[in-house]
Amino acid sequence: VLTLSGLSLIPVAVLTLLLTEKPPNVIPVSPNKSAGPEEIRKYSEALLSNLKIRLQFVGVNILCYAYVACYLPFTFNQSNTVVKQMNCIKTQRLTSLIHIAVLLIIQVLPIDYIIKLTGAANMLGRWQSAVLSDQIHSLPEWRDNVEWEQESIVRWEDKTYLAISPSVTAHPSYYPHTILYVLFDKSFKILKILTLVEGLLVAVLFYQTLSLKYFQQFLPSSLLLFLHLHTIMSLASDAKHLNTRAKAL
């Protein structure tokens, strides 16, 4: 007999099987090694626009899943048996929602794309705000055609900025450049974050599975646990592939 807890796994399993194709987006062509600061910024902004489209794809799919699988079933009248199982079902729904988000992010951020984002982030570099109000007028003003070296200090719009990466071509006050560097300065960073999230979900589901009292709850919870473990193995495989690609570059 399928309970509400078991039915909640149907969209999870279906979406897990369907998430195999990447969203139709053209990746911008990388600039030459001799590219100037302006060309690097244009390339990085094209990548950011592409990344924004991919993340919108993730957001729309998560909202659709949350509405269909997490909200609609709870709008119907529930029996006493279902009400008793509600806490378990809510935990499964929440972990399923986060799991789908991780799968979508893996889908829209393939290895080649992560390598491109890492390259763009390292070409941009990063500025950090510096408090030097007494010397602000004696500092050089930031110019868009200059590649600044590490520990360079510049002024821009009555603020001072310190270069904290080997070379910096980013705009000091343009926060998307900073976000790109923070998230993708190292190619493994995003995979580590996703693996940590999945690891936490596995711990939650494992504890829940051990504390279940009803067999009809044990089966869907075990299936969810298997899906999360499969995702962790997939992330580990991606990390190995990414390491091989990074060494080859």
Side-chain angles (χ1 to χ4, degrees), residues 98-145:
I98 299 174
H99 178 63
I100 291 298
V102 171
L103 290 177
L104 286 167
I105 293 172
I106 294 172
Q107 175 190 2
V108 300
L109 296 179
I111 298 300
D112 293 339
Y113 194 66
I114 291 177
I115 291 174
K116 280 185 174 289
L117 289 169
T118 303
N122 289 321
M123 284 189 291
L124 276 177
R126 183 185 176 187
W127 292 104
Q128 186 178 51
S129 297
V131 181
L132 295 170
S133 56
D134 297 336
Q135 307 173 17
I136 187 169
H137 296 293
S138 62
L139 295 173
E141 187 175 5
W142 178 82
R143 297 191 299 276
D144 57 4
N145 60 346

Side-chain angles (χ1 to χ4, degrees), residues 23 42 47 53 78 97 117 123 130-131 152 169 189 193 201:
K42 287 181 181 179
L47 266 181
I53 294 173
Q78 309 294 344
L97 183 61
L117 289 169
M123 284 189 291
V131 181
S152 297
T169 60
K189 184 177 291 187
I193 294 173
L201 294 179

Side-chain angles (χ1 to χ4, degrees), residues 47-216:
L47 266 181
L48 284 168
S49 298
N50 188 274
L51 180 61
K52 182 179 178 181
I53 294 173
R54 291 166 180 261
L55 293 181
Q56 286 174 348
F57 169 83
V58 173
V60 169
N61 280 273
I62 290 174
L63 287 175
C64 292
Y65 172 80
Y67 181 75
V68 173
C70 300
Y71 173 74
L72 281 183
F74 287 100
T75 61
F76 301 101
N77 293 328
Q78 309 294 344
S79 65
N80 292 332
T81 304
V82 171
V83 170
K84 291 179 182 179
Q85 302 175 10
M86 196 65 69
N87 290 333
C88 174
I89 296 171
K90 286 181 179 179
T91 303
Q92 290 177 359
R93 294 283 170 83
L94 180 60
T95 55
S96 300
L97 183 61
I98 299 174
H99 178 63
I100 291 298
V102 171
L103 290 177
L104 286 167
I105 293 172
I106 294 172
Q107 175 190 2
V108 300
L109 296 179
I111 298 300
D112 293 339
Y113 194 66
I114 291 177
I115 291 174
K116 280 185 174 289
L117 289 169
T118 303
N122 289 321
M123 284 189 291
L124 276 177
R126 183 185 176 187
W127 292 104
Q128 186 178 51
S129 297
V131 181
L132 295 170
S133 56
D134 297 336
Q135 307 173 17
I136 187 169
H137 296 293
S138 62
L139 295 173
E141 187 175 5
W142 178 82
R143 297 191 299 276
D144 57 4
N145 60 346
V146 176
E147 183 175 342
W148 302 89
E149 297 180 353
Q150 191 171 13
E151 298 184 356
S152 297
I153 302 177
V154 299
R155 59 185 171 88
W156 177 257
E157 294 181 347
D158 297 329
K159 293 182 180 179
T160 55
Y161 298 91
L162 171 68
I164 60 173
S165 53
S167 63
V168 182
T169 60
H171 194 289
S173 60
Y174 189 56
Y175 70 90
H177 286 175
T178 304
I179 293 175
L180 181 63
Y181 185 85
V182 169
L183 290 178
F184 297 101
D185 62 322
K186 296 179 181 178
S187 55
F188 286 100
K189 184 177 291 187
I190 192 69
L191 292 180
K192 286 181 179 178
I193 294 173
L194 295 177
T195 304
L196 177 62
V197 171
E198 281 294 320
L200 291 174
L201 294 179
V202 166
V204 171
L205 282 172
F206 184 72
Y207 173 77
Q208 183 192 64
T209 303
L210 292 179
S211 61
L212 292 177
K213 298 180 180 179
Y214 303 98
F215 177 76
Q216 60 267 35

